[in-house]
Amino acid sequence: MATESHESAVGDSADGSAGHGTSDAVGESAALALKILVAGGFGVGKTTLVGAVSEIRPLRTEERLSQAGSGVDDTGGVDRKTTTTVAMDFGRITIRTGLSLYLFGTPGQDRFWFLWDELAQGALGAVVLADTRRLVDCFPAVDYFEHRRIPFVVAVNCFPDARAYGADEVSRALDLDRGTPVVLCDARDRDSGKEVLIRLVEHAGRVHSARLLDSVG
Ligand SMILES: Nc1nc2c(ncn2[C@@H]2O[C@H](COP(=O)(O)OP(=O)(O)O)[C@@H](O)[C@H]2O)c(=O)[nH]1
Ligand SMILES: [Mg+2]
């Protein structure tokens, strides 16, 4: 399982320079790029998170909420939301020398589910963003990753006017497996977003290693 993810992770170094000639090296100079999905309900802060942490100008495919979508996209409880991501967000962050993450923000609306399976190919893991005012909105993402056995962390995007929940409370409300981390974050803050991603890489590393040991034992 673990090797599969690594093989199919985005292989090229991002700027096309750092990885050249070093692909066999082990250690600091080896450039490893891993693919991470950022999922969660509509308006939960996926585009915001990818934009806050990305070192490259995030690629966004946003469209004005159209008249056609106005009855379909439920914007109740979502702040000042006038655009919606129709395809996905894309960004990159270097976690430490030689380790970059490519971030793919999944489409937030149910009618774009068909895009997920392709996005999920080769992903190391996922961040499921949650808004405690609309916790049910992240159920589909939680189910999706649980069923496909893709390691994920739940990141609670702490909107100021939302009641403060503890991580345990969110974990119980979402009926998460005990090992699934819940992290409180502010999607607008780079360090906070980075912390979420580090927790995910650590968690996914543990899950993938355990599976590897299972498969050889
Ligand atoms: N106050 C506050 N607003 C946020 C936060 N995260 C996102 N927003 C706002 O909420 C709206 C939806 O965020 P967006 O990233 O587009 O959601 P997406 O649909 O998940 O991509 C935007 O207007 C953001 O500016 C946050 O942590 N705090
Ligand atoms: Mg978005």
Side-chain angles (χ1 to χ4, degrees), residues 43 45-48 62 81 83-85 89 106 108:
K46 298 179 294 294
T47 301
T48 305
E62 299 254 356
K81 177 92 174 150
T83 60
T84 183
T85 309
D89 307 298
T106 59

Side-chain angles (χ1 to χ4, degrees), residues 117-184:
D117 286 331
E118 231 163 302
L119 275 179
Q121 294 286 330
L124 173 84
V127 173
V128 175
L129 271 173
D131 175 350
T132 56
R133 297 168 302 180
R134 298 159 47 108
L135 214 47
V136 291
D137 289 8
C138 71
F139 283 164
V142 167
D143 280 349
Y144 183 92
F145 296 121
E146 280 180 350
H147 279 123
R148 284 163 187 76
R149 302 182 73 227
I150 296 172
F152 65 95
V153 300
V154 172
V156 179
N157 188 14
C158 301
F159 287 87
D161 52 339
R163 183 171 84 74
Y165 276 73
D168 288 349
E169 211 174 345
V170 172
S171 182
R172 274 196 303 277
L174 294 176
D175 195 23
L176 299 177
D177 290 340
R178 268 191 309 145
T180 302
V182 175
V183 195
L184 306 181

Side-chain angles (χ1 to χ4, degrees), residues 82-99:
T82 54
T83 60
T84 183
T85 309
V86 294
M88 62 178 179
D89 307 298
F90 174 72
R92 186 196 72 204
I93 178 173
T94 305
I95 291 293
R96 57 172 165 73
T97 310
L99 176 62

Side-chain angles (χ1 to χ4, degrees), residues 5-115:
S5 307
H6 284 256
E7 274 160 23
S8 46
V10 184
D12 293 333
S13 64
D15 57 14
S17 61
H20 281 263
T22 62
S23 54
D24 294 337
V26 177
E28 292 239 313
S29 58
L32 179 63
L34 300 168
K35 176 178 174 179
I36 304 288
L37 304 182
V38 180
F42 182 55
V44 76
K46 298 179 294 294
T47 301
T48 305
L49 177 79
V50 173
V53 301
S54 186
E55 297 147 354
I56 52 174
R57 199 165 70 87
L59 179 70
R60 288 175 188 164
T61 319
E62 299 254 356
E63 265 189 7
R64 305 287 298 178
L65 279 181
S66 67
Q67 205 55 29
S70 63
V72 185
D73 298 323
D74 169 19
T75 52
V78 178
D79 307 315
R80 304 180 305 280
K81 177 92 174 150
T82 54
T83 60
T84 183
T85 309
V86 294
M88 62 178 179
D89 307 298
F90 174 72
R92 186 196 72 204
I93 178 173
T94 305
I95 291 293
R96 57 172 165 73
T97 310
L99 176 62
S100 336
L101 306 180
Y102 282 91
L103 307 174
F104 293 82
T106 59
Q109 297 130 293
D110 295 343
R111 63 181 191 274
F112 295 113
W113 273 94
F114 67 94
L115 289 171

